[in-house]
Amino acid sequence: MNVLTPLHVGNGNELTPVDFYPRENEILVLDVERLVDDLQKLGADIEEILGMIRNPAEDLYVWKKFLTEYKINPEQYAKYKLKVRGKIGKMSSRIREFIKESGKPYIPGSSIKGAIRTAVMYEILKECGDTVTVVEALKEGTRIAGKDPIAIQGLIRSIEHPANHDILDYYIHYINMEIKRALQRRKKVNLKTVDDLLEAIVFGFDIGRGGIRHEPKRDPTRALIVRDSSKIPLNNLAVYEVRVIGADVNIPVWVEALEPNTRFNVEIIFDKELAERNSDYFNGLLWHCKGKELEEFIWKAVEDFYRELAKIDGIRGSNLLRIGWGKGWISNTIGLLLKRKGQKWEQVRRKLGLGRKPGGKGISSMFPKTRRIANGMPMGWVEI
């Protein structure tokens, strides 16, 4: 893969001003433990050091006093150093760390596969999401799962309601019902789980007491195996100042990100034997609609979905994919399809609070309104 725009995949950690030492256009990420140990050996007061760590001084040069007093070159304690693209902030600056193994960045296969699955869901709903096909898939899938069709009669009746042209009409109705139930319980809708039902219908399901749920063993994308990438040399990493364009309050975020033109290897395999071996076990709309054409369909879905997104971002190229942090709602969801539902989706979007202005000051009439830009570029575009 070739990185086209800054790419960040986080490990959940943040570097604080205690962890790094800024210089002109670069930062040194320090081995703090070794530095503290050596300062103690040189006679520094450990309580003073700990006090400084707990309450850093009012600039980025947290270690400046000690380094100057004991004539220490910070370079000696640098685990690695990174170029800075943009401006580093003041004392409150934190840098989101890139995921690494043995000290070197890599791209988890799960990040790449997740981006592919989003494209597949988008494309299958676009091609096969009509009510008749979805209901056929559910009935067949129930038979494959060895369950009584009565178990999903209620779901099928709801999908077949005359008001629904396709599964997205039903999905919007379903979210509305979830919002009502949440209000009765005086809770908010869990945005992380609200698409679980749609995932089950598309990728494969089993049926339990709570209705249908996604069943990974019945998901034909099991046959798509994406390995973690090769380890990438640290000199391809830089610190990027990411600005939120379109927000009322523009608070930048700093991330470690791979630079454009970074190349790395990823092994992606479609295991045909696994697909054939489990062909009587898979269910869901994707398998019902594409079955033996699955491998070709996956790459068509990736091409179609990301070509459409690339137009929005002004990205040129073929075999595009968008991965990592900062992609935005449109790239992470089937939002392009939902937006085509007009007011039907717009009303639900407002109820969900998507596009809420900072400080709870109402809902923006435009969604998504904001974009994350690093050094003038959108985040996360790669070329396969």
Side-chain angles (χ1 to χ4, degrees):
M1 286 190 178
N2 181 34
V3 176
L4 299 178
T5 65
L7 167 60
H8 172 74
V9 181
N11 65 359
N13 294 330
E14 287 186 326
L15 301 173
T16 72
V18 172
D19 299 305
F20 60 87
Y21 188 83
R23 298 198 301 196
E24 187 175 0
N25 299 324
E26 70 175 7
I27 65 160
L28 307 179
V29 179
L30 301 172
D31 184 341
V32 174
E33 190 175 342
R34 189 161 63 86
L35 176 58
V36 170
D37 191 44
D38 283 359
L39 281 171
Q40 275 190 279
K41 290 174 183 173
L42 290 169
D45 183 348
I46 184 64
E47 290 301 323
E48 186 181 0
I49 295 173
L50 293 176
M52 181 276 299
I53 291 175
R54 284 193 290 266
N55 300 293
E58 293 184 356
D59 62 30
L60 282 171
Y61 298 90
V62 169
W63 295 102
K64 183 176 180 180
K65 172 181 179 298
F66 295 98
L67 297 178
T68 302
E69 184 175 341
Y70 292 97
K71 296 181 173 55
I72 292 174
N73 180 356
E75 190 106 18
Q76 298 173 3
Y77 294 90
K79 289 195 287 189
Y80 58 94
K81 53 184 171 183
L82 301 173
K83 295 178 283 293
V84 175
R85 308 298 185 195
K87 291 182 180 177
I88 280 288
K90 299 299 182 186
M91 60 169 287
S92 60
S93 298
R94 292 171 178 266
I95 301 170
R96 297 186 182 191
E97 199 174 355
F98 202 99
I99 191 166
K100 303 181 187 77
E101 185 179 322
S102 304
K104 290 187 176 178
Y106 74 100
I107 308 295
S110 57
S111 293
I112 298 167
K113 187 168 180 176
I116 294 172
R117 277 171 60 89
T118 300
V120 169
M121 177 178 270
Y122 169 87
E123 196 68 14
I124 200 69
L125 290 175
K126 196 170 78 168
E127 286 195 15
C128 302
D130 62 280
T131 300
V132 172
T133 307
V134 171
V135 169
E136 285 175 357
L138 281 170
K139 288 178 178 176
E140 184 188 13
T142 304
R143 179 187 62 76
I144 291 170
K147 298 295 170 65
D148 191 330
I150 292 175
I152 60 163
Q153 269 189 347
L155 174 62
I156 288 177
R157 274 200 299 271
S158 295
I159 292 173
E160 287 181 322
H161 190 282
N164 297 334
H165 171 69
D166 56 31
I167 186 66
L168 291 177
D169 287 331
Y170 166 72
Y171 179 51
I172 291 171
H173 165 76
Y174 168 78
I175 297 174
N176 257 320
M177 294 298 102
E178 287 294 294
I179 292 170
K180 284 183 181 177
R181 280 191 279 268
L183 283 173
Q184 288 169 356
R185 296 194 299 268
R186 297 184 178 180
K187 292 183 177 179
K188 291 183 178 179
V189 172
N190 187 341
L191 294 176
K192 291 182 178 177
T193 60
V194 75
D195 63 349
D196 285 359
L197 176 63
L198 199 57
E199 181 185 26
I201 292 172
V202 167
F203 288 109
F205 61 89
D206 215 333
I207 303 169
R209 288 183 178 176
I212 76 170
R213 56 176 170 75
H214 178 236
E215 172 50 67
K217 292 178 181 176
R218 296 192 181 279
D219 185 336
T221 63
R222 277 183 63 201
L224 182 69
I225 298 165
V226 185
R227 314 270 188 217
D228 291 347
S229 79
S230 56
K231 291 175 190 167
I232 304 165
L234 267 168
N235 59 7
N236 291 288
L237 211 56
V239 173
Y240 276 84
E241 178 191 18
V242 183
R243 293 205 163 265
V244 182
I245 306 298
D248 296 331
V249 180
N250 193 347
I251 300 174
V253 174
W254 288 269
V255 300
E256 292 183 345
L258 292 177
E259 300 225 69
N261 298 318
T262 300
R263 291 177 179 272
F264 55 89
N265 294 319
V266 175
E267 187 178 27
I268 302 177
I269 301 168
F270 186 82
D271 188 335
K272 290 182 179 177
E273 287 188 12
L274 187 152
E276 288 174 8
R277 199 165 56 245
N278 291 276
S279 59
D280 293 334
Y281 194 72
F282 295 143
N283 62 8
L285 182 63
L286 174 61
W287 188 248
H288 173 81
C289 200
K290 294 299 169 182
K292 292 180 180 177
E293 303 169 20
L294 180 60
E295 183 179 5
E296 293 77 14
F297 176 76
I298 287 172
W299 299 120
K300 175 182 178 296
V302 169
E303 177 70 21
D304 289 354
F305 180 63
Y306 288 103
R307 183 176 56 218
E308 195 164 350
L309 289 180
K311 287 179 189 171
I312 298 171
D313 274 351
I315 300 294
R316 294 183 178 180
S318 57
N319 300 319
L320 298 171
L321 195 65
R322 199 174 190 193
I323 55 178
W325 175 86
K327 296 182 296 182
W329 181 76
I330 288 285
S331 295
N332 279 324
T333 66
I334 55 166
L336 284 176
L337 293 177
L338 291 171
K339 283 169 72 72
R340 290 173 192 167
K341 291 294 179 182
Q343 279 303 309
K344 193 180 270 190
W345 162 247
E346 181 62 16
Q347 289 169 4
V348 172
R349 193 269 292 182
R350 287 174 175 271
K351 288 179 186 175
L352 289 173
L354 296 175
R356 186 177 297 284
K357 296 178 181 178
K361 297 177 181 175
I363 305 290
S364 173
S365 59
M366 288 179 60
F367 180 79
K369 180 185 176 185
T370 60
R371 299 169 67 211
R372 288 189 170 90
I373 300 293
N375 214 21
M377 294 173 277
M379 299 288 295
W381 282 102
V382 298
E383 194 174 38
I384 303 174

